[in-house]
Amino acid sequence: MDVLGTIKTRRSINFFEIGKDLADDKIRELLETANFSPSSFNLQPWRVVVVKDPERKKVLRKCAFDQPKAEEASAVLIMIADVGGVENNIERVLDSWQQLGYIKPELRETYTGMAANLYGAEDSLSRKIFAVKNTALYAMNIMLAAKGLGLETHPMDGFDEECIKREFNIPDDKIIPMLIAVGWLKSGITLLPRAFRRNIEEFVTFNRY
Amino acid sequence: MDVLGTIKTRRSINFFEIGKDLADDKIRELLETANFSPSSFNLQPWRVVVVKDPERKKVLRKCAFDQPKAEEASAVLIMIADVGGVENNIERVLDSWQQLGYIKPELRETYTGMAANLYGAEDSLSRKIFAVKNTALYAMNIMLAAKGLGLETHPMDGFDEECIKREFNIPDDKIIPMLIAVGWLKSGITLLPRAFRRNIEEFVTFNRY
C-alpha cells in the first residue's frame, strides 16, 4: 500500500479479532521496520514491552480502566520513553557518526556538550519532552508499518501509568506515553466514519503565528 | 512508494537544494494528508508555522544556532504543541463522536471528565506530555507523507525555543518540540550510510520489562 494511501486510510480500531495469534516474528518485523524512525541526535530513547500472554493482557486491561481492547487485541505494546536515552546511547551514536564520516573525531566533545545542553538533566522537563517526542515518532512509524504488514492498531492513553509500571516491572523514572493495541479487525465489524479533523487553515499559518 | 519501503528509506538530509520554491499548495497537501494522524481523544493539539519567506528563514537560522538547513531548505515547519488543545477542541470532538454514533449523548459529561483527568491542568506535566506526544505523531506523519510527495525532510531540535517564540510571535505557553526542514536533496550530494540503529533485542521484551 502506498504511503499516502496508508496515512489516509489508517484508523484506530476498537474491536479486534479475539484469540488470533500474532507471531513473535511478525511483531519483531514490525518493531524493526518502524525502528528506522528518526530521533533527536539519533539517541533512540524508547523501549517496548510486548504483552501477548493472555494472563498478562488481563492484567493490562485492569490497568487500562477495563478497556476490552487491552485484552482482545492480539498484542499490546507498552511504549516506554527512556529519559536515560542520552547517557545510554550517546557514545555509540558518536562512534557511528565518527566511523561513517558524519563528524570529525575532534568534535566528539562538542557534540556531547550540545546533547547535554539541549536535553538537560535526567529529571528535567526538557529531558522528559525529549524522551516522549522521540518515542511518539517511533509509535507513529509502528502504526503505519502495521498497516503495511496487514495489521490494525489503536493507540491508547486511557490507563493508570503507576499500575502498569508496578505490574510490568517498569522502572519508575520511565514515562509511558501510550499503549498500542495491535491485531486484526474483528470480522463482521464495520467501522464508523472517521471522526472530524480540523481544516488546516485553522492551525497553519505562513511565516508568523 | 509503499509504506514499508518509505519507512525504511526515509532519511534526514542535511543538504537541501537552495532557492527551489515549494508551492504553498504542495505544503497544504502535505499538512492535510499528515493531518489524518491519530491523537489522544482526537484532540489534535498541534499548530504549524510554515517559514518560507527568505528573510524569515534567515531569522529562523539565527535561532537555530546558525544551522544552514534552517535557511537552505525550501520551507521549515515550526511544529507547535498546544497545551490548550483539550479546552480548544473537546466540544467539537464530542459533537463529532455523538453525531457519528461513537458515543451516546448522555456520556458527554463522562468523556469530558475523562479527558480532564487524563490530561490534567494546562500547566501540568501530563498536559505537556499530551501536547508533545501528539504533535510528534503528526510530525512523523508529515515526514513520511513528504516522501510520498517526492520531498525530503530533516527534523531539527537544535534551536533556541525562546528565540523562535519571540521572533515568530508564538505564545509563551506553547511548546516547540521540533522544526522540520522540507525540500529537495541538493544535486550532487550523496548521502552517507545511515547511522546505527539498536538491535531490537536490546530494547524489546515480551510480557515484562
Side-chain angles (χ1 to χ4, degrees):
Chain A
M1 196 187 305
D2 86 289
V3 64
L4 298 176
T6 304
I7 289 172
K8 288 176 188 167
T9 59
R10 182 214 53 79
R11 295 286 303 277
S12 298
I13 71 159
N14 269 308
F15 301 98
F16 287 90
E17 193 66 45
I18 300 172
K20 194 165 170 184
D21 181 58
L22 178 54
D24 291 5
D25 279 354
K26 189 91 166 177
I27 296 175
R28 289 198 183 94
E29 185 183 1
L30 170 64
L31 296 175
E32 201 159 77
T33 304
N35 199 41
F36 288 111
S37 178
S39 61
S40 303
F41 252 78
N42 195 30
L43 287 164
Q44 312 164 52
W46 51 76
R47 299 188 63 89
V48 181
V49 176
V50 181
V51 187
K52 264 190 66 177
D53 176 79
E55 289 309 310
R56 301 306 300 159
K57 287 198 292 180
K58 272 193 216 305
V59 172
L60 193 59
R61 175 175 176 165
K62 189 194 65 173
C63 294
F65 309 136
D66 199 34
Q67 291 182 80
K69 57 183 172 281
E71 183 177 0
E72 293 174 356
S74 296
V76 182
L77 311 176
I78 304 177
M79 301 301 301
I80 299 166
D82 185 4
V83 293
V86 179
E87 292 73 11
N88 293 347
N89 298 325
I90 187 87
E91 292 304 324
R92 285 192 294 174
V93 168
L94 295 174
D95 288 348
S96 156
W97 285 359
Q98 195 176 315
Q99 194 181 354
L100 297 169
Y102 287 45
I103 61 167
K104 299 206 172 87
E106 59 268 29
L107 283 178
R108 279 186 79 107
E109 216 170 312
T110 310
Y111 277 87
T112 308
M114 265 195 256
N117 277 337
L118 283 172
Y119 310 124
E122 278 202 38
D123 61 350
S124 67
L125 175 61
S126 60
R127 182 62 73 89
K128 291 181 174 85
I129 287 175
F130 154 84
V132 165
K133 76 178 163 190
N134 288 298
T135 304
L137 295 178
Y138 182 46
M140 190 70 247
N141 258 359
I142 289 173
M143 291 185 268
L144 292 171
K147 287 292 287 182
L149 294 169
L151 299 165
E152 302 292 338
T153 57
H154 196 123
M156 303 170 62
D157 52 17
F159 57 83
D160 174 346
E161 188 169 356
E162 294 314 310
C163 178
I164 294 181
K165 284 181 175 174
R166 189 175 60 241
E167 296 287 358
F168 292 86
N169 199 32
I170 297 166
D172 201 49
D173 69 320
K174 310 295 183 221
I175 299 167
I176 305 174
M178 73 188 81
L179 310 178
I180 304 177
V182 187
W184 291 269
L185 181 65
K186 193 181 174 71
S187 63
I189 292 283
T190 307
L191 295 186
L192 292 168
R194 188 195 274 285
F196 104 104
R197 289 296 189 279
R198 294 172 302 166
N199 187 305
I200 63 162
E201 304 302 330
E202 186 186 326
F203 67 89
V204 175
T205 55
F206 280 70
N207 295 311
R208 282 182 194 278
Y209 187 85
Chain B
M1 197 189 302
D2 86 289
V3 64
L4 298 176
T6 304
I7 289 171
K8 287 175 189 168
T9 59
R10 183 214 54 76
R11 296 286 302 276
S12 299
I13 72 159
N14 268 309
F15 301 98
F16 287 91
E17 193 65 47
I18 299 172
K20 193 165 171 186
D21 181 58
L22 177 56
D24 291 4
D25 278 355
K26 190 93 167 174
I27 296 175
R28 289 198 184 93
E29 185 183 2
L30 171 63
L31 296 176
E32 201 160 78
T33 303
N35 198 42
F36 287 111
S37 177
S39 61
S40 303
F41 251 79
N42 195 29
L43 287 164
Q44 309 164 54
W46 51 76
R47 300 188 63 89
V48 181
V49 175
V50 181
V51 187
K52 264 189 66 175
D53 176 80
E55 288 309 310
R56 301 305 300 158
K57 286 197 293 181
K58 272 193 216 307
V59 173
L60 194 59
R61 176 174 175 166
K62 190 194 64 173
C63 294
F65 309 136
D66 199 34
Q67 290 182 80
K69 56 184 174 279
E71 183 178 359
E72 294 174 355
S74 297
V76 182
L77 312 177
I78 305 177
M79 302 301 301
I80 300 166
D82 185 4
V83 293
V86 179
E87 292 74 10
N88 294 345
N89 298 326
I90 186 90
E91 292 304 324
R92 286 192 294 175
V93 169
L94 295 174
D95 288 348
S96 156
W97 285 0
Q98 194 176 316
Q99 194 181 352
L100 297 169
Y102 287 46
I103 61 167
K104 300 207 171 89
E106 60 268 28
L107 283 179
R108 279 186 81 107
E109 216 170 310
T110 310
Y111 277 87
T112 309
M114 264 195 258
N117 277 337
L118 283 172
Y119 310 124
E122 278 201 38
D123 61 350
S124 67
L125 175 61
S126 58
R127 182 62 73 91
K128 292 182 174 85
I129 287 175
F130 154 84
V132 165
K133 77 179 162 188
N134 287 297
T135 304
L137 295 179
Y138 182 46
M140 190 70 248
N141 258 359
I142 288 173
M143 291 184 267
L144 293 172
K147 287 292 288 183
L149 294 169
L151 299 164
E152 302 292 338
T153 57
H154 197 123
M156 302 171 61
D157 53 16
F159 56 84
D160 174 345
E161 188 169 358
E162 294 315 309
C163 178
I164 294 181
K165 285 181 174 174
R166 188 174 61 241
E167 296 287 359
F168 292 86
N169 200 34
I170 297 166
D172 200 48
D173 69 321
K174 310 297 183 220
I175 299 167
I176 304 174
M178 73 188 81
L179 311 177
I180 304 177
V182 187
W184 291 269
L185 181 64
K186 193 181 175 72
S187 64
I189 291 284
T190 306
L191 296 186
L192 292 168
R194 187 195 276 286
F196 103 103
R197 290 295 188 280
R198 295 172 300 167
N199 187 305
I200 62 162
E201 305 301 330
E202 187 185 326
F203 66 89
V204 175
T205 56
F206 281 70
N207 295 312
R208 284 183 194 277
Y209 188 86

